[in-house]
């Protein structure tokens, strides 16, 4: 049966396959797609012809980062991120169109040293022969969490002190998540990028675990995914810290997409400024 309703709204259309949306679209006169194709895509299993797994929003965007004005409405305000954080996310994922809502400029960590303030930070950790977990990075993350707990945190609601609940520790691999949980105090919010999509916290620590591009276990498209980096960093309201081996910045791109992914990581380090958090 067709036209059962006047308007059909598809939420998270950036994760819904185009084929599924086409199958249900006949049930309505009008179709509204809501979502963000720059977040994590729907998991796909098996082998499919090129383009078969594209989402409805990806199809509509036709390769563009944001929706053109003649095709839809781009919501250009984030009510989460401080402008310095938003600057990075907007540049690498949203064609420079995303800005922070009034009030977000107040988001900042107090105290002194490189953890003071807002934006992105880089904590280089040298290690070798690690693929899906790193004891060196786990130790560095534990130091960061200890240094952050108890610091003043300011947002639109005033000033309070950071607790363990205010820090998201994000990792790409389950093995590294397990290691981090053993290293951190009970109650620490530790999980994969997939787990934390849709959540937020004053501070995010993103620990990448792998020692070098040559040791990435699932291929560069997983670890260096621009959507994955976007989701991980944009969970933060005030401060996001990238913890990784400096060798990961030496990725040798083989595709246009890998060029963009390598640039995004290097851009984060550039915006983190100097001095960075020393190993």
């Amino acid at each position: 049966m067709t036209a059962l309703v006047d308007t059909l709204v598809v939420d998270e259309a950036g994760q819904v396959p185009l084929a599924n949306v086409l199958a249900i679209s006949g049930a309505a006169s009008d179709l509204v797609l809501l979502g963000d194709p720059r977040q994590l895509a729907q998991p796909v299993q098996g082998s499919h012809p090129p383009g078969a797994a594209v989402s409805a929003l990806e199809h509509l965007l036709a390769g563009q980062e944001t929706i053109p004005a003649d095709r839809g409405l781009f919501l250009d305000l984030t009510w989460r991120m401080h402008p310095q954080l938003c600057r990075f996310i907007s540049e690498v994922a949203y064609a420079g169109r995303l800005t922070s809502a009034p009030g977000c400029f107040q988001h900042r960590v107090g105290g002194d040293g490189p953890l003071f303030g807002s934006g992105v930070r880089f904590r280089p950790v040298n290690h070798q022969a690690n693929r899906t977990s790193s004891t060196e990075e786990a130790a560095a993350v534990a130091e960061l969490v200890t240094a952050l707990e108890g610091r003043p945190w300011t947002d639109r609601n005033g000033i309070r002190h950071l607790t363990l609940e205010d820090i998201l520790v994000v990792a790409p691999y389950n093995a590294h998540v397990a290691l981090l949980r053993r290293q951190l105090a009970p109650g620490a919010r530790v999980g994969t990028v997939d787990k934390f999509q849709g959540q937020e916290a004053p501070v995010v620590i993103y620990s990448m675990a792998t020692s070098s591009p040559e040791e990435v276990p699932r291929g560069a498209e997983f670890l260096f995914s621009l959507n994955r980096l976007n989701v991980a960093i944009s969970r933060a309201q005030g401060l996001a810290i990238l913890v990784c081996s400096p060798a990961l910045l030496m990725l040798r791109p083989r595709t246009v997409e890998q060029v963009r992914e390598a640039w995004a990581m290097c851009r984060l380090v550039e915006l983190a400024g100097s001095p960075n958090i020393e190993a």
Side-chain angles (χ1 to χ4, degrees), residues 106-148:
Q106 300 177 60
H107 296 178
R108 66 180 179 274
V109 175
D112 53 18
L115 294 178
F116 166 78
S118 309
V120 292
R121 303 289 189 274
F122 177 48
R123 170 64 150 94
V125 180
N126 292 305
H127 51 85
Q128 296 179 336
N130 292 323
R131 291 170 60 81
T132 59
S133 67
S134 166
T135 56
E136 297 88 348
E137 286 191 25
V141 169
E143 292 174 4
L144 288 170
V145 170
T146 299
L148 286 163

Side-chain angles (χ1 to χ4, degrees), residues 1-273:
M1 298 179 66
T2 60
L4 295 177
V5 296
D6 293 328
T7 303
L8 179 63
V9 179
V10 180
D11 194 15
E12 296 292 353
Q15 293 191 331
V16 181
L18 175 62
N20 290 9
V21 173
L22 288 174
I24 62 176
S25 61
S29 302
D30 296 302
L31 184 66
V32 178
L33 304 179
L34 301 177
D36 183 358
R38 308 302 293 171
Q39 302 279 301
L40 294 181
Q42 175 183 248
V44 176
Q45 296 182 345
S47 298
H48 305 275
V54 69
S55 73
L57 276 182
E58 287 175 308
H59 174 77
L60 190 62
L61 263 62
Q64 300 188 63
E65 292 183 344
T66 59
I67 192 76
D70 62 344
R71 298 184 191 178
L73 176 65
F74 176 69
L75 303 180
D76 60 0
L77 283 180
T78 169
W79 295 85
R80 174 188 301 142
M81 291 182 285
H82 184 277
Q84 290 182 355
L85 261 175
C86 182
R87 176 187 177 186
F88 168 70
I89 293 297
S90 183
E91 279 190 29
V92 303
Y94 299 104
R97 297 178 64 187
L98 187 67
T99 58
S100 293
C104 291
F105 72 92
Q106 300 177 60
H107 296 178
R108 66 180 179 274
V109 175
D112 53 18
L115 294 178
F116 166 78
S118 309
V120 292
R121 303 289 189 274
F122 177 48
R123 170 64 150 94
V125 180
N126 292 305
H127 51 85
Q128 296 179 336
N130 292 323
R131 291 170 60 81
T132 59
S133 67
S134 166
T135 56
E136 297 88 348
E137 286 191 25
V141 169
E143 292 174 4
L144 288 170
V145 170
T146 299
L148 286 163
E149 282 188 275
R151 282 177 176 253
W153 163 252
T154 304
D155 60 18
R156 58 173 58 87
N157 297 315
I159 302 176
R160 58 182 178 84
H161 290 87
L162 291 174
T163 67
L164 198 58
E165 182 72 16
D166 294 316
I167 304 168
L168 285 186
V169 180
V170 189
Y173 308 112
N174 287 321
H176 196 44
V177 168
L179 178 60
L180 287 164
R181 284 178 176 160
R182 293 193 297 270
Q183 189 75 33
L184 300 175
R189 299 173 67 185
V190 186
T192 61
V193 181
D194 309 68
K195 175 181 178 179
F196 287 133
Q197 181 164 265
Q199 299 188 42
E200 64 182 20
V203 180
V204 164
I205 301 173
Y206 183 36
S207 179
M208 297 184 71
T210 308
S211 294
S212 70
E214 292 72 31
E215 289 159 310
V216 175
R218 303 188 193 178
E221 64 275 6
F222 176 82
L223 183 62
F224 292 95
S225 163
L226 186 52
N227 286 27
R228 192 166 296 276
L229 181 66
N230 174 26
V231 173
I233 299 300
S234 66
R235 299 309 91 205
Q237 295 169 299
L239 187 67
I241 305 169
L242 176 65
V243 178
C244 75
S245 165
L248 287 182
L249 301 176
M250 304 304 292
L251 172 68
R252 296 181 179 180
R254 292 184 172 85
T255 66
V256 173
E257 184 60 26
Q258 287 183 5
V259 170
R260 296 182 69 242
E261 292 165 352
W263 169 77
M265 285 193 61
C266 292
R267 181 59 174 152
L268 186 152
V269 173
E270 180 182 31
L271 289 175

